[in-house]
Amino acid sequence: MLPADPAGLAAAAALLRQGQLVAFPTETVYGLGADALCPEAVAAIFAAKGRPAEDPLIVHVAELAALPRVVAMVPPLAQQIGAALWPGPLTLILPRGPQVPLAVTAGRETVAVRVPDHPLARALITATGRPLAAPSANRFGHTSPTTAAHVLADLDGRIAAVIDGGATQLGLESSVLDLTTSPPTLLRPGGVSLEQLRALLGEVALAPRQSSAAGMASPGLLERHYAPESSLWLVVGPADPALAWLRSRTEQELAAGRRVGLLLCDEDAQALAHLAADCERLGSSSDLAQIARQLYAALRALDARQPDLILARDLGCNGLARAISDRLTRAAAGRVVHLKDTETRR
Ligand code: TXA
Ligand code: MG
């Protein structure tokens, strides 16, 4: 564990220049960094995470002006979006620059790039003098880390170091926007909302929910991702019936002698406080930023206590709720209960 000070940064940069792996905080989640221009270092990321080679990595640069180092060309739209939203939780898919090894892009002619909004992350890229390839710093299929301790829980012994920058501010990964399609396609909802992107760009298409690997725009979209060990059930629908469903399902499971974990906003937790379930509170449903920040840590904490199942309620798709819903849906891995036809929400 390296401290978040000049000596820690210098040590981390030296390790990265030697081709080693260093985890570092960004404003979204911790990333597992390697020199993006060194194929061996990039290969080590896949090995440490147990990540399939078909799943491409995000390249992190310190500023918009560094984009030409990693892309084949900077379309005016990328310039415009970068100027408006970088540094920030937005990843752009652009034509791959010849300097970027195919190991980074999983053989694709496109590359994912972002400028993280965390001073430590940018200082590390600058000190290393290279763009950094960095996926979330978790074992493949696990929940993304929002603290240095989460990183070590997954990767201790497999990486050279982690810089401890405390808990990350946003708590959810970046939005991934494909600029090689017209209109641009949102491949993964994240810290920058669809509403923000549409206000800036006009039309933005949504990637269809992936049910097979065939023709997938973004391989990472298919994985059973962000998943806890315990089975998570997600109920989707209007608040009142969804809460009623949570109550009766919890009662049923408790009556059958099972240990129930609840992952709930404060209002729901309050309403179900009389039940003998193990509840992690995420914050008020009126404060989505707080819920996003707490989500992964709460999921990890609940999961560590090994309930027989975890129940959660979907909070819709406005603003950050879309990204929260996306991660909960993946964590549920198909165990999603729709109380009402909600097809208009996607
Ligand atoms: O917030 C974040 O984005 C964090 C921090 C560390 O920056 N990183 C992160 O990386 O979440 P990762 O590897 O866990 O997710 C990257 C996503 C995957 O779904 C991957 O498939 C997609 O971006 N992706 C990467 N390169 C791509 C490409 N060329 N075309 C389409 N999708 C791509
Ligand atoms: Mg990840």
Side-chain angles (χ1 to χ4, degrees), residues 49 51 135-138 142 144 173 188 223 225-226:
K49 285 195 57 144
R51 179 175 173 122
S136 51
N138 51 279
H142 286 194
S144 293
E173 300 84 350
R188 177 176 78 180
E223 315 160 11
H225 228 139
Y226 318 104

Side-chain angles (χ1 to χ4, degrees), residues 69-310:
R69 282 189 76 182
V70 295
V71 303
M73 56 115 138
V74 181
L77 200 55
Q79 185 68 35
Q80 183 206 337
I81 300 171
L85 296 173
W86 279 349
L90 175 69
T91 295
L92 298 179
I93 307 294
L94 290 164
R96 179 181 69 92
Q99 314 86 311
V100 176
L102 287 166
V104 171
T105 67
R108 291 165 179 246
E109 287 307 329
T110 57
V111 61
V113 194
R114 86 176 186 101
V115 179
D117 188 14
H118 194 301
L120 272 175
R122 289 203 307 281
L124 181 64
I125 298 164
T126 304
T128 307
R130 315 272 162 79
L132 296 180
S136 51
N138 51 279
R139 293 290 284 271
F140 178 70
H142 286 194
T143 305
S144 293
T146 57
T147 66
H150 292 164
V151 174
L152 290 181
D154 267 23
L155 296 174
D156 198 10
R158 300 177 153 250
I159 62 178
V162 53
I163 303 177
D164 186 2
T168 60
Q169 214 219 318
L170 219 77
L172 291 180
E173 300 84 350
S174 63
S175 304
V176 179
L177 184 69
D178 189 350
L179 289 186
T180 69
T181 62
S182 183
T185 307
L186 183 63
L187 297 179
R188 177 176 78 180
V192 169
S193 70
L194 180 62
E195 292 85 346
Q196 270 173 289
L197 293 173
R198 286 191 169 146
L200 193 67
L201 303 172
E203 206 182 339
V204 174
L206 287 176
R209 271 230 176 272
Q210 311 286 341
S211 53
S212 85
M216 266 184 32
S218 199
L221 296 175
L222 185 62
E223 315 160 11
R224 179 181 158 275
H225 228 139
Y226 318 104
E229 300 289 328
S230 311
S231 306
L232 185 145
W233 291 80
L234 179 67
V235 60
V236 182
D240 288 345
L243 190 58
W245 183 92
L246 283 173
R247 181 181 293 116
S248 80
R249 178 73 190 261
T250 304
E251 285 168 350
Q252 247 174 55
E253 297 288 347
L254 290 173
R258 282 190 281 273
R259 295 168 55 237
V260 180
L262 298 173
L263 189 65
L264 297 177
C265 63
D266 291 351
E267 293 82 356
D268 290 359
Q270 194 80 45
L272 301 183
H274 61 288
L275 299 172
D278 181 6
C279 185
E280 278 285 332
R281 292 180 176 224
L282 297 169
S284 167
S285 61
S286 62
D287 187 354
L288 293 172
Q290 172 72 1
I291 291 184
R293 199 175 304 129
Q294 307 271 52
L295 184 67
Y296 287 152
L299 191 54
R300 276 180 187 256
L302 199 53
D303 205 30
R305 301 196 291 269
Q306 300 184 307
D308 293 312
L309 75 168
I310 296 174

